[in-house]
Amino acid sequence: MGVLEPIVMRLVDRARRRSAWLFHFNAGACNGCDIELVACLTPRYDVEQLGIRLEGSPRHADILCVTGPVTRTTRDALATIHSQIPDPKVVVAIGSCPASGNVFAGSPVIAGPVDLVIPVDLFIPGCPPRPNAIMQGIAEAIEIMVAKREAVR
Amino acid sequence: MNPFHVLLALLVFPGLLYAVPMGWLMQGGERKVVARLQGRIGPPLTQGFYDFVKLLAKGPVPRSDAFLITLLPLLAVGSTLGALALLPVLASQGGFAGDLILFVGLLEMAPLCAVLAGFASRSVYGEVGAAREAVLGISVNVPFLAALLALATAAGSLQLAQVAGGAPWIVRGPALLALLCCLPVKLRLNPFSVANAEQEILAGPLTEFDGPRLALWELAHGLEWVVLGGLVAVVAVPGRSVAFVGVSFAVVPLLGTLAAATARFKINQAARFLWRWAALAAAVAFIAALAIRHGRA
């Protein structure tokens, strides 16, 4: 691309900062974190201002949000979905369960924590984390994603 | 209509150079209106542009069906752009006899490609979405084509430039109403967002599309906004290009308000509405057109 390359790359970085699409995967969560994630889209928090939206298909997504301790039945689905998100992608683990197993730790049906199954870029602790914490986490995840620009060339 | 004018219409106005930013603006405007009515601030008007650039810069995902899945959105973008170029907005665009038929054909290519894309993706969600898209497509085209035929009958021509301006208001009024009823269906907005119902079937026919291909679909969708808004503008105020831009954009708050105020129809309700009420408006227009034609003969 020559002379244009830095301009194009800056434009792409800017677009990535302003248009992060999330895919939400419930890996056996109790629904607490899921509700808090959806609360970010309500009028009170309104993350759509930043171009963030929840997408139904992993192939459309930039950021994979995992909630729950990763049960044995969701492990393979989680790995498949992670592989179907195009680069550059970021994985955000929301809540205490994907980080440590939380109250489910030691259970025979748990295959987690999540970083045993897929690489995680960012943990947002809390049971459940507040929407403010989730928004802060997503904002940092977006910066991580922008920094991964070498993944696509 | 010489080659220079054709290129001008395709690439500058009302084609690529005008339609692509206008499509982003119209989609952004719709999201903004919905957000404001829901008490949110909503994304900036330029959101469509950022989404497009981001999707273009995404990497590939492993898949084996790349050829068909790239061809379909390209076809959708190309044919919608062709339909756009046929809209009679500039004085230099006389069009040609029968260009209404070509216009309708080109306009229908994008939904048809979406149906094919859904079935080609072999995904459950894609197939359900494609089936819904097909059913809605059949239902919506009854009033849509009847309204256009009514205008053509009243004008006694199949040439878009004459069809748009040639019909008296007793035909144009109900025909315009029928076209407006068809708009949210063709743009897959609430309450007719049956084929892309995100809470039920993810993204419908486009579920399996990724990165640049999805960007092309978004582009095709933006162009559909511009064509359909433009069609309403051409019928409402024929032959004036400044009013064309304004009236095209005026459908945005209208459709946004409707989308924010309504929940999603079931597919049978959507089809019933179209066959009953939208078709009624189109039928009124058609009867009026026949009466005028009979009186003239």
Side-chain angles (χ1 to χ4, degrees), chain B residues 98-209:
Chain B
D99 62 355
L100 178 68
I101 297 169
L102 182 61
F103 174 78
V104 168
L106 287 173
L107 192 56
E108 271 315 296
M109 277 302 283
L112 195 66
C113 286
V115 172
L116 285 177
F119 283 118
S121 72
R122 303 299 296 148
S123 138
V124 183
Y125 302 109
E127 290 185 4
V128 173
R132 291 180 178 194
E133 176 88 38
V135 169
L136 271 191
I138 291 167
S139 308
V140 74
N141 275 330
V142 173
F144 188 75
L145 295 183
L148 288 181
L149 271 182
L151 290 171
T153 310
S157 165
L158 278 174
Q159 192 166 341
L160 259 170
Q162 291 167 23
V163 168
W169 270 106
I170 184 144
V171 180
R172 249 200 281 168
L176 206 54
L177 192 67
L179 290 181
L180 279 174
C181 286
C182 297
L183 235 53
V185 190
K186 289 199 168 262
L187 296 171
R188 301 174 198 86
L189 296 171
N190 261 354
F192 297 100
S193 56
V194 184
N196 57 337
E198 69 276 9
Q199 294 90 343
E200 303 165 28
I201 49 168
L202 309 186
L206 310 185
T207 301
E208 298 296 331
F209 283 82

Side-chain angles (χ1 to χ4, degrees), chain A residues 2-17:
Chain A
V3 196
L4 279 178
E5 185 159 350
I7 301 171
V8 171
M9 284 319 287
R10 215 160 41 190
L11 180 68
V12 167
D13 284 354
R14 194 177 163 81
R16 281 184 183 144
R17 281 197 184 92

